[in-house]
Amino acid sequence: IVLRRQTGMRRAEQVDTVTAALAGAADGELTLRQLLDAISELVGAVDVRERLVQVRGLVRDGFLTLD
């Protein structure tokens, strides 16, 4: 799965299923913890520490924004 930015430098990032689900569902309605809990219900245990590192990278690269 590849996330692609449609603005700016138009970066692309290859991600796994959990990260893609997180990026797709992150619309500001739910907290990161709520999203990770919901995704873990669907795919099994999610390593929260590992995901935090990935989320920081997605924010740094402009795929996600903080509001």
Side-chain angles (χ1 to χ4, degrees), residues 12-13 15 20 22-23 26 31 40 53 66:
E13 178 85 23
V15 297
L22 181 64
T31 66
S40 69
V53 170
L66 301 175

Side-chain angles (χ1 to χ4, degrees), residues 5-25:
R5 287 196 50 203
Q6 299 301 313
T7 60
M9 299 282 293
R10 300 180 58 97
R11 297 178 76 112
E13 178 85 23
Q14 188 166 353
V15 297
D16 64 2
T17 303
V18 173
T19 305
L22 181 64

Side-chain angles (χ1 to χ4, degrees), residues 1 8 20 28 31 33 36 47 51 53 55 59-60 62-63:
I1 300 170
T31 66
R33 183 64 192 189
L36 289 174
D47 183 351
R51 297 303 161 182
V53 170
V55 167
V59 170
R60 180 194 64 231
F63 291 100

